[in-house]
Amino acid sequence: MQRQRSLVALILVLIILAIVVLVKIPLQQGLDLRGGAQLTIQVKTTEEITEIAPDQLEAVKTVVDRRVNALGVSESQVQTIGSDQILVQLPGVNDPQQAERVLGGTAQLDFRKQIPGTEAQLQIEQQLRQQLLFEQAALLESEEGGDQEEEAIAENQAALERSNAAIAELFEKTNVTGKNLKDAFAQPTQAGNGWQVAIRFDAEGGQGFAELTRDLAGTGRSIGIFLDDSLISAPTVGPEYAETGISGGSAVITGNFDVQRASDLAAQLKGGSLPLPVEIVENRTVGATLGRDSIQSSVYAAIGGLILVLLFMAIYYRLPGLIADVALSIYALLTLAAFALIGVTLTLPGIAGFILSIGMAVDANVLIFERTREELREGKTLYRSVESGFYRAFSSILDSNLTTLIACAALFWLGSGLVKGFAVTLGIGVVISMFTALTCTRTFMLLLVLSFPGVRQKPQLFCPNLSPSQ
Amino acid sequence: MTKFSVIKQRSLWWSISAVIILAGIASMAISTAQLGAPLRPGLDFVGGTRLQVELDCTVPGNCDEPIELAEVREVLNEQDLGNSTIQRIGSAQQGLTIRTKTLDVEQRSQLQKALSERIGEFDPAATQIDTVGPIIGQQLFTSGLLALLVSFAGILVYLSFRFQFDYAFLAFIALLHDVLVTLGIFSILGLVQGVEVDSLFVVALLTIIGFSVNDTVVIYDRIREVIAKHPDQHIDQIVDDAINQTLTRSINTTLTTVLTLVSIFLFGGETLKYFALALIVGFIAGAYSSIFVASTLLAFWRERTGQTKATQVIEAEFLDKA
């Protein structure tokens, strides 16, 4: 009796703790529930670097991290998986296109010096490229479709690439590159009719940039700003800088930018150049309301299923069934609190795992009650029956839960994101279900039997159709 | 309580299982010939892009008519995505799921733009994009398969340790039975209904394994107990007794679990629908196999090896030593 009382106290404390935890720490929702984008980035090897070392992966991660920050998504997460992948989670992102462009881009920025005597050629090449770009845009906009048009697009693309290469030949590289960049941001042009990207260099870059501009000032030759070997802007420098160059370490990239392209470029520049090429190999984006809809229907389904189970237990097992229902409710409460405490991210499969673990929790109770009924039929007293019901059901409960835990371990060890979530929720559920079945159900049953003589004299409350002669 | 004998009609139980499994294997063979895989593989395993969009119904006149599939098909043909699958979703048919080969950002935004120009404005908050590259698909598949094998092995080891090896082996056969039944039924669904399997299906299989072994273990536990109580009884009698004693529990547990699953299947989100169905199939198969297959196999095996009574085993061991 004393033992039961202290167990009840323990259970009460646990319930209160669970409620406090649930109020204080909200359950983390996965991206499939709250909406957002999850991208897996594959880091690829190059001819020079045939194997990705951990520190190289870490370097790529840092760059990706910076690019993610530039996107301005709150609560974003970047983590490495295995030896060559990076997982990026962007909750609430509503423009996955932009995210993908920025994160997957290998933007390599550098500043080049135009070779003397190429002024006229540059002008021609630039005009040619402008023409090609214009044609390309027209082709893409065209409604015609068909093979012919596609061929034309491909041809034009090839011509553009040739033109880019030709332009690149007119410049020589300097030591000012994206690495020297401290900051980049989009801002409206002074005329107010477009956008530009403002950049700031570090000390070394500022010096290099000053030298570069000093050399070019007043010559009519331009600075080539190249992004991935393609000229994005070729400003000239006025003669007033011939003495010192543009010092102070800041400059502006102008081009034909709209706000979107300007901020994409700024984000790419700020991210710096990646040490290794990357490719986005997986993208799972769920719209915000879609996630809400699915969480709602899953929660309704779960509650509906739970109510059916509670009803079944109460009707079929009578008084013990009601006790099991109380234990199951405590189970649900404790499990959710455990999720919040451990920081389990609740995903759709995770919810499924939780619902299934309720099934497991019921199973333990069913095993116990069936055993108790058998003992009663054999003519034992209620107290003895309850006690040995628990005792004899224990080995089955243990075996069956352990085998499920083995499957959970395999899932957790080998599974990927969503699958892991399922394994964790099911595993925690199984462990807590054993605790509640063996502690809550047992304590409540014994307490009931011990403290109410009325109950003790009516074993049929525990087992219908029990003939007294047995 | 009326006694129910599983042993008597064991050939009937075995035939039922055999028919279902053989039908499944036949379907898997047909499916392999037609689709190149025993089950219709989903995006997760073969890679590709799935774009799910819904018209924005707050825009006046946008949702008045269901989406015209012919128009969608036209747009896809223009984008050279002719062999993609298109499906209309939603109660008013105002949603669309398109499955194509793997698209990169540019290709995908181009497709989205073309679609919304032709059909109407989409609601970005109801858009779902899944792109899985072929490498990831391969990874998901191998890790899923590996998880299955590891848990198979883990359970086999655990059971051999807790019971005897023949128990463990037969529980394993029952387990294989449940996995095969589920695979077979989903293969048939794949052929008939176009149901695809994804990584959640692997999760379902692993859960089925856990639950199925559960059920078998409870019955084996009981068989062992009955043997300890009546060591001189014939194994057939023991198995029948054990089944009768655990039958209510098997039915009740399966019932309560399947109850919640049916509720998820009917009312839960689209994502979990086939996951729930796989579990329903697997759990019912699991309950069936532990009652009608694992136990009858055990009796059959003991008969074949002449260990019909526990006392005989002890005697035989004693003789061996002598």
Side-chain angles (χ1 to χ4, degrees):
Chain A
M1 206 52 189
Q2 192 50 47
R3 208 176 144 234
Q4 265 75 51
R5 286 226 178 89
S6 42
L7 272 175
V8 169
L10 172 72
I11 293 165
L12 274 176
V13 168
L14 282 177
I15 291 173
I16 293 166
L17 279 179
I19 292 172
V20 171
V21 164
L22 281 177
V23 171
K24 290 268 179 207
I25 312 169
L27 278 168
Q28 276 176 36
Q29 291 178 5
L31 291 183
D32 54 343
L33 298 181
R34 63 201 291 206
Q38 177 176 304
L39 308 172
T40 308
I41 298 172
Q42 175 80 44
V43 181
K44 295 198 290 192
T45 53
T46 60
E47 269 172 34
E48 297 99 68
I49 306 166
T50 48
E51 213 171 312
I52 299 160
D55 57 324
Q56 277 161 336
L57 184 65
E58 212 44 52
V60 177
K61 190 193 152 210
T62 319
V63 175
V64 170
D65 238 336
R66 258 187 287 158
R67 289 187 181 183
V68 167
N69 288 338
L71 283 172
V73 179
S74 60
E75 292 179 76
S76 57
Q77 266 182 18
V78 180
Q79 63 196 95
T80 55
I81 347 174
S83 58
D84 58 355
Q85 285 176 347
I86 292 166
L87 183 79
V88 180
Q89 296 198 305
L90 306 167
V93 119
N94 45 19
D95 189 1
Q97 265 88 350
Q98 189 206 2
E100 251 181 285
R101 263 198 303 267
V102 171
L103 296 183
T106 48
Q108 304 248 14
L109 179 81
D110 64 339
F111 295 82
R112 300 181 191 176
K113 189 153 77 173
Q114 191 178 0
I115 298 166
T118 56
E119 290 89 342
Q121 215 179 333
L122 177 64
Q123 215 165 11
I124 297 165
E125 288 289 350
Q126 270 190 301
Q127 264 168 8
L128 183 68
R129 194 170 78 137
Q130 205 58 46
Q131 181 67 25
L132 286 169
L133 280 173
F134 184 72
E135 275 169 28
Q136 186 78 338
L139 280 170
L140 287 173
E141 283 289 307
S142 143
E143 297 277 319
E144 264 170 62
D147 289 345
Q148 247 183 336
E149 198 197 54
E150 246 173 68
E151 232 170 79
I153 292 178
E155 232 169 75
N156 202 280
Q157 189 64 40
L160 260 174
E161 272 161 34
R162 277 196 301 275
S163 156
N164 271 335
I167 292 174
E169 296 231 326
L170 307 178
F171 290 86
E172 61 177 332
K173 290 197 177 184
T174 66
N175 52 4
V176 187
T177 69
K179 262 183 267 170
N180 301 117
L181 210 63
K182 256 173 70 187
D183 198 7
F185 49 90
Q187 64 183 34
T189 53
Q190 266 155 351
N193 55 0
W195 286 76
Q196 60 191 18
V197 179
I199 49 178
R200 284 221 321 271
F201 293 103
D202 61 8
E204 190 199 323
Q207 207 179 353
F209 190 71
E211 272 169 38
L212 173 65
T213 44
R214 193 188 58 213
D215 287 353
L216 291 174
T219 60
R221 287 181 282 134
S222 48
I223 315 169
I225 304 176
F226 281 80
L227 192 68
D228 286 339
D229 284 327
S230 148
L231 184 71
I232 51 169
S233 178
T236 47
V237 188
E240 65 270 29
Y241 294 109
E243 280 297 309
T244 56
I246 300 176
S247 53
S250 45
V252 178
I253 306 175
T254 54
N256 247 332
F257 298 126
D258 57 11
V259 62
Q260 184 69 54
R261 278 197 54 208
S263 47
D264 280 3
L265 177 61
Q268 277 178 334
L269 297 181
K270 202 155 38 169
S273 47
L274 286 159
L276 285 169
V278 295
E279 187 192 352
I280 294 181
V281 288
E282 190 184 14
N283 169 12
R284 294 181 191 267
T285 303
V286 178
T289 52
L290 203 65
R292 209 158 42 232
D293 285 352
S294 58
I295 194 176
Q296 228 159 35
S297 49
S298 309
V299 166
Y300 288 153
I303 292 173
L306 194 60
I307 290 175
L308 285 177
V309 170
L310 293 180
L311 279 176
F312 174 84
M313 290 299 282
I315 292 169
Y316 192 89
Y317 288 106
R318 314 278 172 99
L319 189 61
L322 283 174
I323 292 174
D325 285 353
V326 174
L328 283 177
S329 310
I330 295 174
Y331 161 76
L333 192 68
L334 293 184
T335 309
L336 288 176
F339 289 170
L341 211 56
I342 301 174
V344 172
T345 306
L346 218 52
T347 57
L348 269 180
I351 292 181
F354 173 62
I355 297 169
L356 276 177
S357 68
I358 292 175
M360 297 292 289
V362 173
D363 182 46
N365 284 296
V366 168
L367 272 168
I368 293 164
F369 298 157
E370 286 297 327
R371 277 296 180 150
T372 307
R373 282 188 174 187
E374 272 173 48
E375 303 289 318
L376 278 171
R377 287 200 196 97
E378 278 175 20
K380 291 198 180 145
T381 65
L382 193 54
Y383 178 75
R384 289 288 302 274
S385 301
V386 169
E387 272 290 32
S388 61
F390 274 94
Y391 177 72
R392 305 182 70 180
F394 181 74
S395 103
S396 292
I397 294 174
L398 187 71
D399 281 337
S400 60
N401 284 317
L402 273 177
T403 47
T404 308
L405 281 178
I406 290 175
C408 282
L411 275 176
F412 183 75
W413 183 34
L414 298 161
S416 60
L418 284 181
V419 176
K420 265 201 167 83
F422 172 84
V424 171
T425 50
L426 183 59
I428 293 175
V430 165
V431 172
I432 296 181
S433 82
M434 272 182 47
F435 171 77
T436 46
L438 296 173
T439 312
C440 297
T441 311
R442 183 193 160 106
T443 308
F444 294 150
M445 290 260 272
L446 289 178
L447 214 56
L448 202 68
V449 172
L450 289 174
S451 19
F452 298 96
V455 172
R456 220 171 349 195
Q457 279 145 22
K458 278 191 205 144
Q460 55 273 27
L461 284 173
F462 285 71
C463 178
N465 312 320
L466 187 69
S467 51
S469 62
Q470 263 184 320
Chain B
M1 206 199 262
T2 46
K3 275 262 165 113
F4 160 77
S5 172
V6 278
I7 296 288
K8 261 189 216 150
Q9 281 162 319
R10 68 180 177 207
S11 41
L12 172 67
W13 313 133
W14 293 353
S15 314
I16 292 174
S17 291
V19 167
I20 295 175
I21 289 174
L22 286 177
I25 290 176
S27 160
M28 286 192 252
I30 296 170
S31 173
T32 309
Q34 278 185 5
L35 307 169
L39 282 87
R40 188 179 287 268
L43 197 71
D44 282 7
F45 298 139
V46 287
T49 293
R50 181 174 45 218
L51 183 64
Q52 184 182 319
V53 288
E54 234 173 82
L55 284 174
D56 187 352
C57 291
T58 53
V59 177
N62 211 5
C63 296
D64 292 350
E65 278 169 45
I67 295 173
E68 201 61 60
L69 281 185
E71 273 184 280
V72 180
R73 181 61 68 192
E74 233 172 82
V75 174
L76 284 168
N77 284 336
E78 277 166 27
Q79 309 266 339
D80 206 15
L81 300 168
N83 49 2
S84 314
T85 41
I86 311 172
Q87 241 183 320
R88 265 187 304 199
I89 50 164
S91 48
Q93 308 272 283
Q94 75 286 39
L96 206 55
T97 300
I98 300 167
R99 159 108 183 260
T100 66
K101 60 178 197 214
T102 315
L103 301 180
D104 64 26
V105 207
E106 305 308 330
Q107 292 168 313
R108 203 186 59 226
S109 21
Q110 210 177 320
L111 173 63
Q112 273 175 286
K113 207 174 127 215
L115 279 173
S116 81
E117 267 168 16
R118 190 73 62 91
I119 292 159
E121 207 166 308
F122 296 117
D123 178 7
T127 301
Q128 185 171 353
I129 301 163
D130 290 275
T131 294
V132 179
I135 317 167
I136 293 279
Q138 197 61 42
Q139 268 175 12
L140 285 173
F141 181 73
T142 37
S143 72
L145 207 62
L146 213 59
L148 273 175
L149 292 177
V150 167
S151 59
F152 265 145
I155 288 168
L156 195 62
V157 168
Y158 177 76
L159 288 183
S160 323
F161 170 71
R162 284 284 291 168
F163 295 86
Q164 284 147 351
F165 181 72
D166 55 353
Y167 278 92
F169 183 72
L170 294 171
F172 186 71
I173 298 285
L175 218 150
L176 224 50
H177 165 275
D178 308 334
V179 170
L180 279 177
V181 168
T182 317
L183 285 176
I185 287 182
F186 268 74
S187 168
I188 295 172
L189 282 175
L191 283 179
V192 181
Q193 293 262 311
V195 174
E196 293 177 346
V197 296
D198 52 13
S199 21
L200 271 186
F201 183 74
V202 178
V203 175
L205 284 183
L206 279 155
T207 319
I208 290 167
I209 291 175
F211 265 63
S212 147
V213 169
N214 249 354
D215 226 23
T216 312
V217 161
V218 170
I219 292 175
Y220 278 179
D221 243 359
R222 194 52 86 100
I223 291 176
R224 198 164 52 171
E225 202 183 308
V226 178
I227 289 179
K229 238 191 232 167
H230 310 281
D232 50 345
Q233 239 174 23
H234 192 274
I235 186 78
D236 286 358
Q237 185 61 42
I238 288 173
V239 167
D240 267 349
D241 282 352
I243 295 284
N244 273 287
Q245 287 163 16
T246 49
L247 198 60
T248 331
R249 173 261 159 202
S250 286
I251 293 170
N252 284 355
T253 301
T254 311
L255 197 71
T256 47
T257 323
V258 168
L259 223 52
T260 41
L261 287 171
V262 168
S263 133
I264 298 178
F265 177 70
L266 292 178
F267 310 113
E270 199 62 30
T271 330
L272 291 183
K273 194 169 176 175
Y274 286 106
F275 176 65
L277 185 65
L279 290 176
I280 293 171
V281 171
F283 287 178
I284 292 175
Y288 181 88
S289 74
S290 31
I291 299 172
F292 297 105
V293 180
S295 54
T296 50
L297 275 179
L298 182 72
F300 177 74
W301 169 251
R302 290 275 153 117
E303 260 169 53
R304 284 292 299 269
T305 53
Q307 306 172 324
T308 50
K309 287 173 190 167
T311 37
Q312 279 175 350
V313 182
I314 298 164
E315 272 164 32
E317 271 169 18
F318 184 73
L319 282 175
D320 270 355
K321 272 175 201 153

